[in-house]
Amino acid sequence: MSSPHIYTVGDRVIIDPAVARASNRDVIYRVTRLLPVNVVVEPVNGGRPVKVNPTYLRPAPAADTTTSGGTTSASTGGEWTMIHEAPLHPGTLVTVAGAGWKQPPGELYVVLRDTGTGRVSLVPLGGNNGRYWRGVSRSLLTAVDPTRVRLDPEQNT
């Protein structure tokens, strides 16, 4: 059986910005230990180690600045910078998929709040008894054109 790790001790990595907490974003880490499932990473510039599943790690950007695909990444003093998208309007229909999202793909959700910080609050279309998700990464969302949504009439049996 092969090891599930794709990183080795000493590799420079970042935590995927789509799932990272605010305190872990913009930080470059170095892998220090490989555990059976997770890995332990420590900030390159010093700080507390973090235990994280390797599926949430990405290779750290190079020491120079590059631009590709509308996203700018720069490494200056251990910082990772992303250009944020414009906030979504409340009521926008979206689908959600990606790392860390455990609900079935393809379901429709309604944006409740987007303050432009890269995190949104949303609820399943049709509601969920007053419950909703807070802090969902904006990068996991795909806006849905409401004119493409087809409503089937309810069938009485």
Side-chain angles (χ1 to χ4, degrees):
M1 185 166 130
S2 67
S3 172
H5 300 294
I6 59 172
Y7 298 104
T8 59
V9 172
D11 286 350
R12 290 169 38 100
V13 295
I14 60 167
I15 297 176
D16 186 349
V19 297
R21 293 180 175 172
S23 62
N24 296 357
R25 270 187 240 135
D26 302 333
V27 178
I28 295 179
Y29 294 91
R30 186 170 313 280
V31 176
T32 58
R33 281 189 10 203
L34 301 177
L35 303 174
V37 175
N38 297 323
V39 297
V40 177
V41 295
E42 291 183 7
V44 172
N45 294 337
R48 294 184 72 167
V50 177
K51 183 171 31 171
V52 62
N53 190 304
T55 59
Y56 299 134
L57 296 177
R58 304 290 173 259
D64 61 346
T65 302
T66 59
T67 304
S68 64
T71 303
T72 301
S73 62
S75 177
T76 53
E79 299 291 323
W80 170 266
T81 306
M82 291 183 57
I83 297 175
H84 296 288
E85 300 179 68
L88 293 170
H89 295 287
T92 301
L93 284 176
V94 296
T95 58
V96 186
W101 186 253
K102 294 176 178 50
Q103 301 303 315
E107 292 187 4
L108 292 175
Y109 297 87
V110 178
V111 173
L112 298 174
R113 179 180 321 108
D114 183 351
T115 60
T117 61
R119 303 284 181 177
V120 301
S121 295
L122 49 87
V123 65
L125 183 63
N128 190 14
N129 295 323
R131 294 178 295 207
Y132 63 97
W133 284 274
R134 293 178 13 185
V136 177
S137 174
R138 172 74 168 82
S139 65
L140 299 178
L141 306 182
T142 302
V144 175
D145 181 6
T147 61
R148 302 207 51 177
V149 176
R150 188 185 86 202
L151 300 175
D152 291 330
E154 291 185 28
Q155 296 185 9
N156 296 330
T157 57

